[in-house]
Amino acid sequence: MDRISLARSLAAVLPSRIREIADMAFSMDGVLKLHFGESNLPTPAFIKEAAIRALDEGYTFYTENAGLPGLRQAVAEKYHQLHGLRLDPCLEILITASGVQALNVSIRCVLDPGDEAIVLTPNWPNATAIVHLHGGRAREVPLAWNGGRYTLDWPAIEAALRARTRLLIYSSPSNPLGWVARPEEQQALLDFSRGHGLWLLADEVYERIYFSEPVAPSILRRCRRDDAVIVVQSFSKSYCMTGWRLGWAVSRPDLVQKATQLNEFIVSHAPSMLQRAGETALRDGEEFVRGMVADVHRRVRFCYEALRRMKGVTVAPPEGSFYLFPRIAGLRNSLDFARSLLRENRVAVAPGSAFGKGGEGAVRICCAADESVLEPAMDRLGKFLERG
């Protein structure tokens, strides 16, 4: 009898090349790990203590699919504090079990099988993968390199439009580029989406890790309340809560209502005690966030200056997030490069090809590690490049 196969559509969902490097690194000793997108800082004690208190207070039961009202209110208050926006916590905010889940449920709400999305790349690969997971097609459009900075490539974006294009996705501050969309670039993306009847999805998970102001510009500052705009967010980066899997989405009430219904069939809701900890993070975490961002900025600048001194390396000045994306002259296979660097010099970086179209020829370096890791890692990388 023929073996019963898996769903054929899953062939479009490719394995993570970041995870391939991670699995290699897990099996080796003495690795300087710059491949995962997380800080080496543990979750602050005041957030952990809030989760413990929540357990003691009985937050072990089901909550609303949209999340605890107190957490949605805290999210709304944070947007007012940081961006001067007044959001309706009951209608425009959905709490999710991670930023990934916010991305997943949002994309599902706007794409039918066969619909298409334009994804501005290099970009965190999950967006493209989730489009494919739901039977859509992702058309990846690389940002252009112009005058030492990444910029929007409007001819390429317009050429990617098709009859079934329904969605445009971008990330700012960018993982992996460190690029931050300027207000005029955000306005152009919004005008383009309005003009072509597209949903616009902004991954703003790194908005607090911004080196010019306390918070990066949000597309929500430029929107009307009826715009087809979605913002995906997470507690992972700003509050060092990667393992907690807690995030949120902000959008128009009709999308939030449908996404809330979908939550029931995916995870029901984020864990109740973690939601309470998230509320504490938002309300009491400003001092921690400011100190963490100052430390990250110092580490990113150290790596940036080290990379600039390496022969054959081109790297954009850091604007936000905790990544650098150096391009290496003559590099044709970044996955092989990352494997060799790991085997020979015990430094783990993410291959640029993991981040979609336009990523080949580069590697992503996470600069959120401690200086005791970054300093020898930059030294080993420089020596590896010198050997050719």
Side-chain angles (χ1 to χ4, degrees):
M1 187 174 79
D2 291 339
R3 181 172 178 160
I4 299 172
S5 66
L6 301 175
R8 289 189 298 273
S9 60
L10 292 180
V13 183
L14 301 177
S16 167
R17 292 177 176 177
I18 305 170
R19 179 58 62 174
E20 179 177 338
I21 295 298
D23 289 342
M24 284 181 63
F26 282 138
S27 68
M28 301 166 65
D29 294 325
V31 174
L32 302 176
K33 298 177 180 179
L34 308 180
H35 54 296
F36 273 152
E38 63 179 352
S39 168
N40 67 324
L41 293 174
T43 303
F46 74 95
I47 298 175
K48 293 188 286 187
E49 290 163 2
I52 295 169
R53 280 198 309 275
L55 286 168
D56 290 339
E57 293 168 359
Y59 283 90
T60 60
F61 297 95
Y62 289 131
T63 78
E64 295 88 337
N65 291 136
L68 287 169
L71 179 53
R72 283 179 278 153
Q73 180 64 40
V75 170
E77 290 171 2
K78 185 59 67 174
Y79 274 100
H80 184 247
Q81 174 191 345
L82 295 175
H83 299 289
L85 300 170
R86 294 194 179 275
L87 300 177
D88 187 328
C90 297
L91 298 178
E92 297 175 309
I93 296 169
L94 169 67
I95 305 302
T96 58
S98 75
V100 180
Q101 198 237 331
L103 194 64
N104 198 319
V105 72
S106 298
I107 290 173
R108 181 63 189 90
C109 280
V110 302
L111 291 186
D112 284 316
D115 285 343
E116 298 197 0
I118 298 171
V119 183
L120 303 188
T121 57
N123 192 33
W124 185 46
N126 290 41
T128 292
I130 290 169
V131 169
H132 292 155
L133 185 64
H134 293 306
R137 176 173 180 178
R139 292 190 181 272
E140 296 184 338
V141 177
L143 295 174
W145 180 252
N146 184 8
R149 183 182 182 272
Y150 290 98
T151 58
L152 301 171
D153 187 341
W154 282 111
I157 293 171
E158 291 170 352
L161 276 171
R162 297 293 186 275
R164 295 196 64 173
T165 304
R166 290 267 297 158
L167 173 65
L168 194 160
I169 302 172
Y170 77 100
S171 170
S172 174
S174 166
N175 172 10
L177 300 177
W179 168 80
V180 178
R182 293 171 175 170
E184 61 270 22
E185 292 171 318
Q186 290 181 327
Q187 187 64 53
L189 288 167
L190 182 58
D191 291 343
F192 178 83
S193 299
R194 286 170 174 166
H196 292 282
L198 307 180
W199 282 89
L200 180 63
L201 192 158
D203 176 349
E204 297 186 353
V205 164
Y206 293 88
E207 73 164 5
R208 300 307 308 276
I209 306 176
Y210 183 49
F211 307 139
S212 300
E213 298 177 34
V215 64
S218 173
I219 189 67
L220 294 174
R221 296 184 187 181
R222 317 198 73 78
C223 292
R224 300 188 302 261
R225 301 298 281 268
D226 62 345
D227 272 322
V229 169
I230 308 163
V231 166
V232 167
Q233 264 285 10
S234 172
F235 288 82
S236 290
K237 315 304 177 178
S238 299
Y239 301 100
C240 298
M241 294 172 67
T242 52
W244 294 61
R245 316 315 299 138
L246 188 64
W248 72 86
V250 176
S251 191
R252 223 168 53 185
D254 56 335
L255 184 138
V256 169
Q257 180 184 25
K258 181 54 66 175
T260 298
Q261 294 173 2
L262 296 185
N263 242 10
E264 169 65 21
F265 308 117
I266 301 172
V267 295
S268 294
H269 56 79
S272 54
M273 72 293 297
L274 305 190
Q275 292 189 55
R276 288 288 287 170
E279 185 177 338
T280 295
L282 290 170
R283 289 189 165 143
D284 299 338
E286 279 305 299
E287 183 178 356
F288 169 79
V289 171
R290 286 195 296 270
M292 180 271 294
V293 172
D295 286 343
V296 166
H297 192 191
R298 186 179 66 252
R299 295 169 187 180
V300 171
R301 289 296 308 186
F302 166 78
C303 293
Y304 172 70
E305 295 299 337
L307 289 164
R308 287 182 65 198
R309 293 191 293 269
M310 296 180 194
K311 186 177 180 181
V313 172
T314 302
V315 60
E319 298 176 1
S321 82
F322 43 54
Y323 304 107
L324 293 171
F325 201 66
R327 296 195 172 276
I328 300 166
L331 182 59
R332 297 290 179 266
N333 190 322
S334 57
L335 181 58
D336 280 351
F337 178 93
R339 288 170 178 152
S340 297
L341 177 63
L342 178 55
R343 281 194 300 262
E344 297 175 27
N345 286 56
R346 293 295 196 270
V347 177
V349 298
S353 58
F355 300 93
K357 196 172 181 181
E360 188 56 276
V363 296
R364 187 193 73 176
I365 295 173
C366 177
C367 306
D370 189 77
E371 284 90 342
S372 63
V373 173
L374 295 176
E375 291 177 10
M378 291 298 101
D379 182 62
R380 293 183 195 182
L381 174 60
K383 290 177 179 176
F384 183 79
L385 290 172
E386 287 174 7
R387 295 199 305 269

